Amino acid sequence: DLNNFFYFYYSAYGREPEYIEALAYDSAGIIFKVLEKNDVQTRRDFASALIQLENYKGATGVTSFDADRVSQKVAFILKVRNDKLEQVK
């Protein structure tokens, strides 16, 4: 969840995260999700499982992967309301 990521990051480091930190958080989350739900033993297994991942909701938005394992992201806009980040729909 976007708000949880920003809250925990700010609590730990005393500043708002930059995009690269949110991207690293999402990358780790995607890796863990692929590994926990699949019997991954090789790089090929991981690549196959990765392209099956659909609509991963992370701090940087929704991510899926195409057949070439290139990330497909849904663009989004954020606003601050009541001291929390919200995604504009």
Side-chain angles (χ1 to χ4, degrees), residues 17-61:
E18 295 183 17
Y19 184 74
I20 190 69
E21 291 144 343
L23 190 59
Y25 175 83
D26 284 353
S27 296
I30 288 169
I31 290 168
F32 289 129
K33 186 158 185 95
V34 168
L35 292 176
E36 76 182 9
K37 293 197 173 194
N38 298 285
D39 185 26
V40 175
Q41 300 294 319
T42 65
R43 286 181 75 188
R44 187 179 306 238
D45 292 344
F46 184 84
S48 294
L50 187 63
I51 61 175
Q52 294 174 26
L53 180 74
E54 292 182 355
N55 302 319
Y56 176 84
K57 293 178 183 165
T60 61

